[in-house]
Every structure is written in structure tokens, then in C-alpha cells.
Amino acid sequence: MERSEASQMGLARRIAVVGGGIIGMSTALELRKAGCDVTLFEQNSLAGSVSWAANGALTPYSDHNSSSTVTKLAEQGVQRYVDHVEWLTVTTGLPIDLDAGGVLEVFLGEEGEKSEARFLELGQAGYPVALLDGNDARKLEGALSTQTTAAIHYMEETRIDTRQLLRASIKALDLLGVNVRCPSRVLRVDPSRSYSYVTVTLPDNAEEFDAAVLCTGYGRCEVAGMPQIPLHRVRGELIEVMPATPLASRCLYRGDSFITPRRDGRLLLGTNYDFHEDGMDENTNSVSVGGAITKMTAAISIVPEIARAEILNTWKSWRPTTYDNRPVIGCYGSPNLLVALGLGGLGITLAPAIAAALAAAIAGESAATAFAELHDLRPERPGLF
């Protein structure tokens, strides 16, 4: 029996998911819940790269470089997290901290003069924000610098403990019977001419699937007959600190710098858009002294008491980003080959919504319907290559 015939008869479709970060794992879970026979390939360790290093701020509005399409997708992602976290918690028995409270964009000194224009811009876009003066901002966050003159409160943004999320996702893959191949490097993905199957080539053999989804981040595999989607790297460096007393109850950021709290009082310090070309970084896999100084100085300007905190850990990853700063989501040269690439710093935020769209395109409605609102994120869009 041909695979296309099996699919028409309602039998479980065999799906390959390439990439074991948050997008790949979330997609594999959605496909498995839809009744598909799913194999997940990861060349290193599950959730071992960009996803593990993420700070967990779920930010559809305060990410100033997002297009309107990405903002809408991020809204859907945040909305889906409530049910997704509940399902993961019930399924695995593992805790996942999902916290509301919003995000505060902090303005110091004369920067406050820019806050009203920024607030009006956000309001005209329909985003749920409030403009605060310095006193009201410090009522929300008492440890803010006394130099705070204004703040914008992104009231519906949230945060999640990413490592709890990832641990629960890994356990759910096992409980649901997803076939995890890790470590396993995929060399090529070749759709058949009839689009009835996709061949996944490994170093020692090749396997056929009804469809494949590529969520490979920066380490991509070759797709027969298709150009490589050009990506560049955004450096992600985080410093984990523990103050003597809790200093923040919600995410804080100023300019390009952010502070993300955890429930136990830990704070994650980092920056959002640290672009760096291949081979040009002073340290490939560890935080540099210069990077640490920059991030700690910026964080201390927002919350001065951070200067007294104990440094617990540092880590670094590389976030794959397209040159037009929009992710690539959709069918890639074939209706049964789908991609979700170039998510930059929004991978955690977007994961549930992207997984739902990919699963719907494969196991539910048509791809055209599933990706109807993501047209300007399609792989063949002008200017991407």
C-alpha cells in the first residue's frame, strides 16, 4: 500500500521531525497527539542548544523588531501556553512556572522624554500597554533605579521557566511514544517527485516518511534541489545571579538589555540583539569578560542592587536569524516538506503556535489553510535568498 493511500484510509502517517529544540519537540508532541507516528532526529542532545539557553520571556509586543505577522503569531503562542503548560504538567507530573505580571520597559533620566512617543506608537497598534511615571514604576518594582523617569508596562506579556518546560517536553515525548533518535545527524532530505514520501538520509542509511519538518536552527541539513536559507547568528549570552533578597517580580528591560526573574529569586541578565558574524567572536561557547561586563553594567543601571548579587552561572548560545528578521515557516519546495527556521530570540514565545500550524498542515487541514495568515513568512518570499 502506498503511503498516500494509507493516509487517505486514516492510518497513522509517518512523520520525521528534524531538530530537537523547543520547536521540534513541540511539533512532535502535537503531531503525536494527532495520531501520527513521529520520529524526532537530533544531532546533539534534546534541548541542548539555543532552547536551553533562552531566558523565557514571552514577548509579543516589547520585541520592537517584530513584524505584524510575527506579533500575531507570538500572541497566539502566549495564549496557547496556558493550556500547553497545563497539559504538560498533568501528563508528566513535572512543575512548570508560568508567570504573568507583564514586562516593564524602563527609561532613565532624559530617556523618559522618548517614552510618550513610544507609548503612542504601541497604542495605535492596539497593544495592551500602560505609560507610567517613575514613581508609579517604582511602586510596581521597588528596586528600580531612582533615576527611573518613566516606564511602559506591557501588561499581557508573561515569562516561563524554560528549563522546566524543556524537561517536561522531553518526558512527554517518551510518554507519548515519540521515536527519538538522539544523537542522530540528518544529512539530506529529499521529497519524491510525486510528493508521496520524503527520504531522510543518515550517515548509515536512508528512511522514507510521509512528510518531514525541518526545525534545525543554525545547523541545517541539505534539501535536494533547494538553496540553503541564509541565516546569521545573534549571540545569546546570559548571566545568572542570586541577590540576597528578591529584586524583581516581572521582566525588566532598557534599550537592548533585560532582566528576567525566576520564582526563587534568581535573575537572568542579558541582551537581545547582539549580532556577530561567524568566526568573529572572541569566545565561541562561553561568555567573554567584555560581554559579562556589558550585561552586568546594563542590568545594574536598571536595578542598582544587582551589583551586590552573587554570580551563579553564565552560558552562551547562537540564535539563528534571517536577514529580513522574520522567521521562515511553511512548505519548502514540496507540500510534504515543511520548515520552521530563523526564529531568532522568539523561539520559546512562538513554539506552541508554530507547532499547532505545522501539525495542522500535516495531520489536519490543508497547508494553504494552516499557513494562510503566515504568507509573508513563507520560504519563497521575495528577498529571503
Side-chain angles (χ1 to χ4, degrees), residues 170-220:
I170 292 170
K171 185 173 181 179
L173 291 172
D174 180 56
L175 293 173
L176 266 66
V178 173
N179 180 16
V180 176
R181 306 273 191 88
C182 177
S184 185
R185 185 183 176 208
V186 172
L187 302 178
R188 290 176 61 88
V189 177
D190 299 285
S192 67
R193 292 184 179 181
S194 62
Y195 303 141
S196 60
Y197 63 91
V198 174
T199 302
V200 174
T201 302
L202 307 168
D204 299 325
N205 68 309
E207 301 179 32
E208 292 181 358
F209 296 86
D210 293 304
V213 184
L214 306 185
C215 313
T216 50
Y218 198 71
R220 293 158 289 168

Side-chain angles (χ1 to χ4, degrees), residues 61 68 112 142 160 187 211 218 225 230 272 309 317-318 321 358 365:
Y61 310 114
S68 59
I160 193 167
L187 302 178
Y218 198 71
N272 283 318
S317 67
W318 297 97
T321 306
L358 292 170
E365 57 204 60

Side-chain angles (χ1 to χ4, degrees), residues 254-322:
R254 173 187 172 227
D256 196 32
S257 302
F258 62 78
I259 301 169
T260 304
R262 293 287 184 250
R263 286 186 184 179
D264 61 4
R266 287 175 296 137
L267 301 173
L268 304 183
L269 319 179
T271 53
N272 283 318
Y273 302 107
D274 192 353
F275 292 91
H276 228 67
E277 296 300 323
D278 290 323
M280 297 297 292
D281 191 50
E282 62 282 353
N283 289 293
T284 303
N285 298 312
S286 60
V287 177
S288 66
V289 171
I293 291 173
T294 298
K295 289 161 183 61
M296 289 188 291
T297 300
I300 290 168
S301 74
I302 302 170
V303 177
E305 280 297 308
I306 286 177
R308 300 174 181 271
E310 175 188 1
I311 297 176
L312 300 180
N313 200 358
T314 65
W315 57 86
K316 181 178 202 164
S317 67
W318 297 97
R319 296 171 287 184
T321 306
T322 61

Side-chain angles (χ1 to χ4, degrees), residues 67-359:
S67 68
S68 59
T69 301
V70 175
T71 296
K72 291 178 182 177
L73 191 64
E75 287 178 325
Q76 296 169 17
V78 173
Q79 292 164 2
R80 286 181 176 274
Y81 260 116
V82 176
D83 289 339
H84 184 56
V85 165
E86 181 180 4
W87 177 83
L88 278 173
T89 301
V90 171
T91 300
T92 67
L94 297 177
I96 304 173
D97 295 342
L98 179 64
D99 296 304
V103 170
L104 276 189
E105 180 179 3
V106 178
F107 299 84
L108 305 182
E110 295 180 357
E111 296 170 357
E113 298 174 4
K114 305 175 184 178
S115 62
E116 186 171 354
R118 176 64 187 153
F119 168 71
L120 291 174
E121 177 186 352
L122 293 164
Q124 289 173 356
Y127 299 161
V129 293
L131 180 62
L132 310 176
D133 62 22
N135 290 330
D136 286 338
R138 286 192 295 276
K139 288 178 183 177
L140 284 181
E141 293 292 338
L144 284 177
S145 168
T146 57
Q147 300 300 310
T148 302
T149 51
I152 294 177
H153 189 194
Y154 298 81
M155 297 173 288
E156 294 184 7
E157 297 195 329
T158 59
R159 68 184 189 277
I160 193 167
D161 189 311
T162 49
R163 296 190 173 180
Q164 291 179 342
L165 170 67
L166 294 167
R167 290 187 188 102
S169 298
I170 292 170
K171 185 173 181 179
L173 291 172
D174 180 56
L175 293 173
L176 266 66
V178 173
N179 180 16
V180 176
R181 306 273 191 88
C182 177
S184 185
R185 185 183 176 208
V186 172
L187 302 178
R188 290 176 61 88
V189 177
D190 299 285
S192 67
R193 292 184 179 181
S194 62
Y195 303 141
S196 60
Y197 63 91
V198 174
T199 302
V200 174
T201 302
L202 307 168
D204 299 325
N205 68 309
E207 301 179 32
E208 292 181 358
F209 296 86
D210 293 304
V213 184
L214 306 185
C215 313
T216 50
Y218 198 71
R220 293 158 289 168
C221 58
E222 183 178 350
V223 177
M226 298 296 293
Q228 289 278 29
I229 294 172
L231 299 174
H232 65 149
R233 306 187 305 172
V234 178
R235 178 170 50 186
E237 294 182 331
L238 285 176
I239 302 172
E240 182 184 46
V241 303
M242 175 64 86
T245 58
L247 295 179
S249 60
R250 54 180 54 78
C251 297
L252 310 173
Y253 83 94
R254 173 187 172 227
D256 196 32
S257 302
F258 62 78
I259 301 169
T260 304
R262 293 287 184 250
R263 286 186 184 179
D264 61 4
R266 287 175 296 137
L267 301 173
L268 304 183
L269 319 179
T271 53
N272 283 318
Y273 302 107
D274 192 353
F275 292 91
H276 228 67
E277 296 300 323
D278 290 323
M280 297 297 292
D281 191 50
E282 62 282 353
N283 289 293
T284 303
N285 298 312
S286 60
V287 177
S288 66
V289 171
I293 291 173
T294 298
K295 289 161 183 61
M296 289 188 291
T297 300
I300 290 168
S301 74
I302 302 170
V303 177
E305 280 297 308
I306 286 177
R308 300 174 181 271
E310 175 188 1
I311 297 176
L312 300 180
N313 200 358
T314 65
W315 57 86
K316 181 178 202 164
S317 67
W318 297 97
R319 296 171 287 184
T321 306
T322 61
Y323 283 86
D324 65 3
N325 203 44
R326 288 179 286 161
V328 181
I329 304 168
C331 296
Y332 191 34
S334 169
N336 60 346
L337 177 59
L338 297 85
V339 297
L341 303 170
L343 304 175
L346 284 174
I348 300 293
T349 300
L350 297 174
I354 290 178
L358 292 170

Side-chain angles (χ1 to χ4, degrees), residues 21-41:
I22 186 60
I23 302 296
M25 291 196 296
S26 299
T27 300
L29 290 172
E30 288 299 316
L31 287 166
R32 190 72 189 103
K33 288 191 286 184
C36 295
D37 179 3
V38 183
T39 299
L40 175 63
F41 296 94

